């Protein structure tokens, strides 16, 4: 900050500056030195005015500037120097980069004095003197002289110590002299010579010199520069929607998942296929946790495992300890070393199998692949349990208490999340007061806080807490034993703690605790009840008792179902819920393996049934008896028996109020989860059957080869709209040809089809479609392939579907040996409309994309399903139950199957990088996932898109260590046959290794090389100078390699390895031998051919359940023949009616019985399926005798074996009675113009548009001796009057209302009752005290009136909306009182205020005032 006094006012210096400034302003261009000196005096006054303006501006800035003390304070707190910032701005090199943005968040302020405002570095406003300046020639140097007159602080500071004022002046004069000589050399500009001094003065007086506001412009430019410099960089988060960022996996969590050296699926809380997959924030298990975890997991693997291995008479009881050890190894691999399931199953199988060096011939598979996945799921649950247990231990420590029962009894038995929750609740209940006090800290120097009046908060204190704080807790102690001691006796099944008997009986003992104050005293019975409640609550909250109750429900619970009123009507015998409509006492263990319970919960959610879960009487009694034995006294006195009765009541209350409700709630959730898991696993197994199959190959092809496929489809099969689409994919899966033909009947189209076959020679032809017309296409393709002529009879009558009349052609001159088959098309149907298909084949029609899907499925079922991603849940794996599985659970089960099969097959990494379709398999490789696969592909592409060996994964930093160990054995690098194997050991590292094209893990390469060396009977010296894997290449190419490898004693080799390093490699050695013989051999089942029902369901949607004998269906008569009628079902399946099934007589001609195009009902007699001949048809009968019986027997849903037959029959009878009563009610007719067969709702809807007082007479639901009269009181307000008809015994009837009013007929009732009441209502509504609207609105009016008139009271009337035809009289006595409401009943002849009847409204008001 410049000091105001520091600015020099030296007269000589100022004179020099004024001379130059005057010349510049006067002349506007450079003149010689003599002329310059003559005009000095004329311009001096103007220059002084300008300097005064500058000084005023400088003083304003200095007044706003910081003082030195402020600067020192800023420097002390920020560590930044704010002094010496008055250096001149220097011009940087042209085109230079802008100053780098400061890393500090604080703005860097550029400070300068006002003298710097004329600096050439700042934007200059060109004044009138420079309007003709030639910038190209002069370069703006006219201003430099003026600039030189400013103080240059940097120059002066540099030489301040060695240069005095005189030297400075000499230097300045020298600089001016050189500048004048330069300007003289430039020549003069004569254009401004005619402007004299007076004119210049006038110009400056009017317009100024153009620099008056430079300081303001300088501030704007600096502000804009600062804003631009400090503007944050644009990020993709600022551009894209969060949902789009998540879809592209670009969130911070995604980046973290990519970076961490942990398998991706292990980092996620849900399936990687899920669109909402989230990062799992868990703590891994440690070695110290494994023993406890192994026991916890082993006993929960499966009931069968527990029975076989842990029962004394189990067949595998001797392998119990090896099983626990195998589970321990599995948990270590999964949760400590973080290896995924496929890695363990493939490369560490010996550790989860029975391995005994002394019994190498004994092979026992301790853990299956499905059980290994189960161990992974249970391990995740145990990990969560461990975290919760640690949190509970921390909470207990914070309480600062020592509870022997908790530490020694409860804590060792915490083996589930539920027990953790119960223990937390128990601690909270036991130490709630201490927990509150623990946080009420008060320090000695805290000021006393004044008491502030607060609103009373709602109380959350339970009845238990109130009783516990009262003297009743002393009474509870008198029961002689503490609740936790009772639980200890119960768990130990022996009485370690005994009861201290009281001398007094319970009533007498309780009377000691009654309050002496008779006004607040409670009877002894009430005190005992509250004491029992304390003990029952403490027993009911005990974690161990609750766990015992859950265990009891797990084995002995029963489930019953009853329909609601809505369910009775909606669930008929054909409804899918009818199976369990009256389910009765079905054991929970019988519902584990069926989806029935999920359907029950769905029905309950639809409010159709109520579900009850309870214990068997025997189990409940046994539990209650055990708890009573643990609580009761052993004495036989009357007093002891009385106390035991009280204790028995405590036990019963604990069961009913606490333990059983906990068990019921838990059993429902536990059973639901178990059934969902079972159903999801079943869907995963169905998927495994569909994808764990090899690509289609012909008998001539070798396993591992890929067939070229021609896919043919007719779409929906409409001859008028749909063409036949043919798509050919070559062996590499590339689309090579796509054509459309109108039909396969015309000669030209047949020739085009055969030309395609000759040209492309497909290995297989697959047929698919969206209707039953596809069978005709398949039949035609087969006939053309075989070279058979078309059937003349079919062609003549148009049975081929195209209706061509072309003459039959001769046998084809060339037949093709190409198989024709149907393939499953569910994936192709999804693919044709998918975004993926649009991106890959945007020019193809939907049917052509469908054909591409068919062909790809034939070439690789696994790849097609893997490419579906999260849409895989749209595929149906379980017809009726799949929708009941939560989507996340289903995705996890399906993903595990995809992971298993993908790693079983292996993925060619180089092909995955270059083939986007094949790349869909990469995320399912062990250790990878969508994010890690994505970044791996990008890295390899950046390297050139091709890897030579597996070493590059590590050397080129493509994979981190743990991911490499997981994935390496499943990522194959196919060998290039053109590259010869390298023999030299010292060859370049980037060479092919034959082991990289096998399932052998790199950590086992040495074993493979050793095995190859031994099989070839070579010594170490023989291969010393060769490439380590050269022997592997030799054994692979050896013609007798199978014999040589089989001669090796692998058992002995495995034993020696175990004895040397405790390595278990027996199974690994088998894998190595198989891989050396057949690298990445095909291990999947052959490609399956579809069965007849599979094809029929695919084309028509019919299943054995919907198309079977006895069902009545709708049929269309298509064609009539002499002895047959050809028909078609709604699903497109064709069929016939034989003449014997046409009529009862059986000998009437079809044309005389039915007509073509007619739609009638028929019953299915037979279903004929002949897949090789493409024949799918049904036989139908339309005889009345067959139709009369109906198909209810075939369509009705089977009842469950546990059926509540008595309740079912009672409800049937009740529904029949209701139906009869409804019929009787609707049949009743009363001859009166106001009578309508309406119910209450219909009557109100009818009166909605009528006038007030209008009436509807209708039947009553109370029976045939009642009528209902509905009349309109007001808008949306109707009164329903019950009228009883009494037979007088003389042929007449009497109409009675409210047992008080009697009328001879309906007209009299309407006039003397309804209309009289309506008049009374109208009269009161017309009174000035009546207010329209709700009662709340009237209350608000009364309050506002009294607030405005505090000395007055007010009342008013309003309609009672809850009791139509009645009024409410509301009044407010004064502003401090509350609004009172009195009912006013309207009678035909009077108003009734309470019991007082008055004739009119004035009398009603008087009666109110009197009361």
């Amino acid at each position: 900050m410049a000091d105001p006094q520091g600015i020099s006012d030296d007269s000589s210096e100022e004179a020099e500056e004024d001379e130059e400034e005057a010349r510049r302003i006067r002349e506007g261009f450079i003149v010689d030195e003599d002329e310059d000196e003559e005009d000095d005096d004329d311009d001096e006054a103007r220059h002084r005015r300008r300097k005064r303006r500058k000084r005023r501006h400088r003083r304003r800035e200095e007044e706003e500037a910081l003082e030195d003390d402020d600067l020192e304070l800023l420097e002390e707190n920020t560590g930044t120097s704010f002094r010496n910032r008055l250096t001149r701005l220097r011009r940087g090199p042209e085109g230079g980069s802008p100053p780098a943005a400061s890393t500090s968040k604080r703005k860097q302020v550029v400070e300068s004095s006002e003298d710097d405002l004329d600096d050439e570095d700042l934007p200059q406003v060109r004044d009138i003197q420079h309007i003709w300046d030639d910038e190209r020639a002069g370069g703006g140097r006219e201003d430099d002289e003026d600039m030189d007159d400013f103080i240059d602080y940097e120059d002066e500071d540099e030489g301040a110590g060695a240069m005095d004022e005189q030297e400075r002046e000499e230097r300045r004069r020298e600089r001016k002299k050189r500048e004048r000589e330069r300007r003289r050399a430039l020549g003069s500009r004569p254009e401004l010579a005619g402007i004299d001094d007076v004119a210049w003065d006038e110009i400056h007086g009017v317009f100024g010199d153009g620099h008056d506001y430079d300081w303001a412009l300088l501030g704007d430019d600096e502000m804009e520069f600062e804003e631009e410099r400090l503007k944050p960089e644009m990020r993709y988060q600022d551009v894209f929607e969060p949902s789009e960022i998540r879809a592209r996996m670009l969130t911070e969590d995604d980046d973290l998942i990519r970076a961490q050296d942990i398998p991706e699926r292990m980092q996620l809380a849900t399936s990687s296929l899920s669109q909402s997959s989230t990062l799992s924030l868990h703590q891994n298990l440690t070695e110290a946790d494994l023993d406890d975890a192994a026991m916890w997991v082993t006993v929960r693997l499966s009931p069968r495992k527990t029975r076989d291995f842990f029962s004394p008479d189990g067949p595998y009881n001797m392998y119990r300890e090896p099983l626990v050890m195998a589970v321990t190894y599995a948990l270590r691999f999964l949760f400590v070393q973080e290896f995924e399931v496929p890695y363990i199953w493939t490369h560490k199988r010996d550790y989860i199998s029975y391995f005994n060096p002394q019994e190498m011939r004994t092979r026992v598979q301790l853990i299956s692949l499905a059980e290994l996945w189960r161990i992974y799921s249970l391990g995740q649950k145990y990990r969560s349990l461990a975290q919760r247990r640690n949190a509970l231990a921390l909470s207990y420590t914070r309480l600062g208490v020592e509870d022997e029962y908790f530490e020694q009894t409860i804590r060792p038995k915490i083996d589930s999340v539920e027990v953790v929750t119960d223990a937390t609740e128990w601690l909270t209940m036991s130490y709630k007061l201490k927990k509150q006090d623990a946080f009420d800290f008060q320090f000695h120097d805290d000021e006393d806080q004044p008491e502030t009046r607060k609103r009373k908060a709602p109380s959350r204190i339970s009845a238990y807490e109130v009783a516990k704080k009262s003297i009743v807790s002393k009474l509870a102690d008198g029961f002689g034993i503490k609740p936790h001691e009772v639980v200890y006796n119960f768990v130990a099944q022996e009485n370690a703690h005994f009861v201290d008997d009281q001398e007094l009986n319970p009533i007498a003992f309780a009377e000691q605790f009654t309050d002496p104050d008779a006004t607040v005293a409670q009877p002894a019975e009430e005190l005992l009840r509250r004491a029992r409640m304390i003990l029952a609550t403490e027993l009911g909250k005990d974690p161990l008792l609750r766990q015992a109750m859950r265990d009891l429900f797990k084995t002995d619970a029963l489930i019953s179902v009853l329909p609601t009123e809505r369910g009775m009507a909606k669930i008929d015998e054909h409804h899918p819920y009818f199976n369990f409509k009256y389910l009765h006492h079905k054991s929970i263990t019988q519902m584990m393996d069926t989806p029935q319970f999920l359907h029950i919960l769905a029905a309950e959610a639809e409010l159709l049934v109520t579900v009850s879960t309870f214990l068997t009487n025997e189990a409940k009694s046994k539990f209650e008896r055990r708890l009573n034995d643990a609580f009761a006294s052993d004495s036989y006195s009357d007093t002891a028996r009385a106390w035991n009765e009280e204790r028995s009541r405590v036990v019963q209350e604990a069961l009913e109020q606490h333990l059983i409700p906990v068990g019921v709630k838990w059993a429902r959730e536990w059973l639901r989860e178990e059934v969902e898991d079972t159903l999801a696993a079943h869907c995963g197994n169905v998927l495994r059957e569909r994808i764990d199959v090899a690509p289609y190959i012909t008998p001539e092809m070798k396993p591992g080869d890929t067939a070229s496929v021609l896919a043919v489809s007719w779409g929906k099969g409409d001859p008028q709209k749909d063409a036949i689409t043919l798509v050919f994919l070559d062996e590499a899966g590339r689309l090579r040809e796509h054509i459309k033909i109108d039909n396969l009947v015309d000669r030209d189209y047949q020739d085009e089809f055969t030309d395609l076959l000759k040209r492309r020679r497909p290995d297989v032809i697959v047929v698919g479609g969206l209707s039953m017309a596809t069978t005709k296409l398949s039949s035609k393709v087969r006939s053309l392939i075989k070279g058979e002529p078309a059937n003349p009879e079919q062609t003549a009558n148009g049975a081929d579907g195209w209706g061509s009349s072309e003459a039959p052609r001769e046998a084809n001159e060339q037949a093709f040996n190409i198989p024709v088959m149907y393939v499953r098309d569910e994936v192709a149907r999804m693919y044709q409309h998918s975004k993926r298909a649009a991106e890959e084949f945007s020019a193809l029609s939907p049917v052509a994309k469908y054909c591409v899907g068919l062909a790809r499925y034939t070439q690789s079922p696994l790849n097609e399903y893997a490419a579906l991603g999260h849409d895989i849940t749209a595929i149906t794996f379980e017809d009726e139950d799949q929708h009941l599985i939560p989507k996340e659970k289903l995705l996890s089960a399906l993903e595990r199957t995809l992971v298993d099969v993908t790693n079983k097959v292996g993925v060619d990494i180089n092909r995955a990088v270059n083939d986007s379709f094949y790349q869909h398999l990469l995320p399912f490789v062990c250790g990878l996932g969508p994010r890690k696969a994505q970044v791996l592909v990008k890295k390899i592409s950046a390297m050139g898109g091709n890897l030579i060996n597996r070493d590059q994964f590590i050397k080129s930093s493509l994979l981190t260590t743990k991911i490499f160990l997981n994935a390496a054995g499943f990522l194959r690098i196919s060998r290039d046959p053109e590259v010869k194997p390298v023999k030299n050991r010292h060859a370049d590292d980037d060479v092919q290794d034959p082991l990289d094209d096998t399932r052998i893990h790199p950590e086992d390469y040495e074993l493979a090389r050793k095995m190859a060396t031994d099989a070839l009977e070579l010594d170490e010296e023989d291969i010393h100078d060769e490439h380590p894997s050269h022997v592997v290449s030799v054994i692979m190419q050896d013609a007798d390699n199978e014999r040589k490898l089989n001669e090796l004693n692998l058992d002995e080799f495995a034993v020696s390895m175990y004895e040397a390093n405790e390595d278990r490699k027996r199974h690994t050695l088998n894998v190595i031998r198989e891989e050396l013989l057949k690298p990445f051999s095909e291990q999947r089942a052959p490609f399956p051919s579809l069965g007849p029902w599979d094809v029929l369901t695919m084309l028509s949607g019919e299943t054995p359940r919907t198309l079977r004998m006895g069902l009545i269906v709708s049929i269309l008569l298509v064609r009539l023949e002499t002895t047959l009628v050809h028909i078609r079902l709604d699903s497109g399946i064709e069929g016939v009616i034989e003449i014997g099934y046409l009529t009862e007589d059986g000998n009437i001609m079809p044309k005389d019985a039915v007509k073509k195009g007619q739609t009638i009902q028929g019953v299915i007699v037979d279903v004929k399926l002949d897949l090789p001949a493409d024949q799918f048809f049904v036989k139908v009968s339309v005889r009345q005798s067959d139709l009369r019986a109906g198909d209810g027997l075939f369509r009705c849903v089977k009842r469950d074996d546990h059926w509540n037959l008595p309740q079912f029959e009672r409800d049937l009878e009740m529904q029949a009675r209701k139906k009869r009563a409804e019929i009787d009610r609707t049949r009743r007719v009363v001859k009166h113009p106001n009578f309508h067969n309406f119910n209450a709702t219909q009557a109100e809807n009818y009166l909605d548009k009528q006038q007030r007082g209008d009436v509807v007479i209708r039947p009553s639901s109370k029976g045939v001796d009642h009528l209902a009269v509905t009349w309109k009181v007001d808008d949306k307000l109707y009164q329903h009057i019950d009228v009883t008809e009494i037979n007088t015994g003389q042929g007449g009837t009497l109409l009675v209302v409210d047992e008080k009013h009697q009328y001879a007929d309906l007209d009299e009732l309407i006039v003397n009752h309804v209309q009289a009441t309506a008049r009374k209502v109208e009269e009161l509504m017309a009174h000035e005290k009546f207010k329209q609207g709700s009662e709340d609105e009237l209350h608000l009016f009364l309050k506002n009136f009294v607030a405005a008139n505090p000395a007055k009271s007010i009342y008013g009337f309003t309609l009672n909306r809850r009791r139509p035809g009645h009024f409410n009289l509301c009044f407010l006595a004064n502003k401090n009182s509350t609004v009172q409401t009195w009912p006013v009943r309207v009678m035909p002849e009077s108003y009734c205020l309470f019991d007082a009847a008055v004739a009119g409204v004035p009398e009603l008001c008087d009666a109110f005032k009197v009361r």
Side-chain angles (χ1 to χ4, degrees), residues 653-831:
E653 184 176 346
L655 283 173
E656 300 297 335
Q657 300 296 325
H658 300 281
L659 296 176
I660 289 180
V662 165
V664 169
K665 183 178 179 181
W666 174 84
R668 280 171 57 101
E669 289 303 307
W670 173 77
L671 181 57
R672 179 184 60 78
E673 285 200 10
E674 290 295 318
V675 175
E676 285 175 353
D677 290 342
T678 302
L679 199 52
H682 174 67
C683 291
N685 292 334
V686 174
L687 175 62
R688 190 183 302 273
E689 293 173 3
R690 298 184 186 179
I691 64 175
D692 195 10
V693 294
Y696 177 83
I697 57 173
T698 62
E700 297 79 21
M701 299 172 68
K702 296 183 298 183
D705 292 344
T706 305
S708 58
V709 183
L710 176 65
V712 185
S713 178
W714 193 13
K716 294 182 179 179
D718 188 339
Q720 307 301 324
K721 298 180 181 178
D722 300 319
I724 298 174
T725 303
L726 299 97
V727 169
F728 175 76
L729 264 63
D730 65 8
E731 294 82 356
R734 295 186 291 264
L735 175 65
R736 290 302 189 187
E737 193 146 355
H738 160 235
I739 62 173
K740 287 184 178 181
I741 55 177
D742 287 344
N743 59 63
L744 284 176
V745 176
D746 294 345
R747 182 63 178 266
D748 293 341
Y749 293 131
Q750 289 182 355
D751 291 342
E752 189 173 354
F753 178 71
T754 54
D755 287 345
L756 176 63
L757 298 181
K758 293 175 185 177
R759 189 169 62 254
R760 292 298 181 183
R761 291 286 176 179
D763 295 316
V764 63
I765 298 175
V766 297
V767 182
L770 309 176
S771 72
M772 287 302 298
T774 306
T775 58
K776 296 183 177 62
L777 173 64
S778 175
S779 177
K780 197 68 180 175
V781 170
R782 291 179 199 272
S783 64
L784 290 174
I785 293 295
K786 294 176 183 177
E788 298 173 354
N791 189 337
E793 182 181 349
Q794 282 189 350
T795 306
N797 56 35
D800 54 19
W802 287 284
S804 172
S805 58
E806 183 178 324
R809 54 182 296 190
E810 296 298 326
N812 193 359
E813 60 274 7
Q814 179 178 357
F816 299 91
N817 184 24
I818 303 175
V820 180
M821 61 186 298
Y822 293 99
V823 294
R824 196 179 294 278
D825 74 339
E826 55 192 4
V827 182
R829 291 188 185 221
M830 293 183 62
Y831 177 74

Side-chain angles (χ1 to χ4, degrees), residues 1284-1403:
T1284 306
E1285 292 184 272
I1286 300 176
N1287 193 342
T1288 60
Q1290 301 173 356
T1293 58
L1294 200 62
L1295 305 179
V1296 180
V1297 180
D1298 294 337
E1299 299 181 355
K1300 297 178 181 179
H1301 305 87
Q1302 298 181 355
Y1303 306 98
D1305 55 28
L1306 288 173
D1307 291 327
E1308 183 183 355
L1309 183 145
I1310 292 172
V1311 172
N1312 294 336
H1313 190 92
V1314 177
Q1315 292 182 0
T1317 304
R1319 283 195 297 273
K1320 289 289 184 183
V1321 171
E1322 291 283 356
E1323 182 182 353
L1324 185 50
M1325 291 177 69
H1327 194 267
E1328 62 178 0
K1329 291 294 185 180
F1330 176 81
K1331 298 296 179 185
Q1332 282 284 3
S1334 66
E1335 185 177 343
D1336 292 337
E1337 292 175 355
L1338 176 58
H1339 287 189
L1340 183 61
F1341 168 76
L1342 299 179
K1343 291 175 182 177
N1344 291 338
F1345 179 86
V1346 172
N1349 304 279
K1352 295 184 179 182
S1353 59
I1354 184 69
Y1355 71 96
F1357 299 95
T1358 187
L1359 285 168
N1360 188 337
R1361 294 275 167 183
R1362 295 181 182 177
R1363 299 188 63 191
H1366 293 63
F1367 288 84
N1368 284 336
L1369 191 161
C1370 304
F1371 64 93
L1372 187 60
N1374 55 62
K1375 65 178 183 179
N1376 295 323
S1377 61
T1378 58
V1379 178
Q1380 301 291 321
T1381 301
W1382 289 355
V1384 177
R1385 188 156 44 97
V1386 182
M1387 307 292 288
E1389 68 282 352
S1390 63
Y1391 302 101
C1392 291
L1393 181 63
F1394 296 106
D1395 296 331
V1398 293
V1401 179
E1403 291 83 356

Side-chain angles (χ1 to χ4, degrees), residues 345-347 349-350 353 355 360-363 998-1000 1004 1007-1008 1011 1045-1054 1057 1064-1079 1081 1083:
W345 181 249
T346 305
H347 304 299
R349 182 108 46 107
D350 293 290
S353 302
F355 187 92
M360 291 304 294
R361 298 281 181 187
T362 305
R363 304 289 170 84
T998 67
R999 291 186 175 91
I1000 302 171
D1004 296 322
L1007 276 180
M1011 188 180 294
L1045 288 169
N1046 287 337
E1047 286 178 351
L1048 297 176
N1049 190 338
L1050 299 185
D1051 288 339
E1052 184 179 333
F1053 190 22
M1057 291 183 64
R1064 302 185 179 189
K1065 294 288 186 180
R1066 183 64 188 86
H1067 174 264
T1068 303
L1069 293 174
N1070 280 342
V1071 170
I1072 293 173
R1073 179 173 59 187
E1074 295 301 320
E1075 290 300 310
L1076 292 178
L1077 293 173
K1078 297 177 182 178
S1081 60
Q1083 299 177 351

Side-chain angles (χ1 to χ4, degrees), residues 558-561 571-573 575-600 1196-1206 1208:
L558 300 176
I559 293 175
S560 291
V561 177
I571 303 176
D572 58 12
E573 292 185 346
H575 198 285
Y577 295 161
F578 184 75
N579 168 260
F580 53 80
K581 184 178 181 180
Y582 288 93
L583 190 71
H584 185 62
H585 289 197
K586 187 169 184 177
S587 173
I588 196 171
T589 56
Q590 294 177 291
M591 307 187 76
M592 297 285 293
D593 299 325
T594 67
Q596 186 185 55
F597 188 69
L598 297 183
H599 287 285
I600 291 174
C1196 66
V1197 178
K1198 183 185 176 184
R1199 304 174 186 175
D1200 193 276
D1201 295 335
H1202 300 77
W1203 189 260
N1204 192 348
L1205 187 60
F1208 172 59

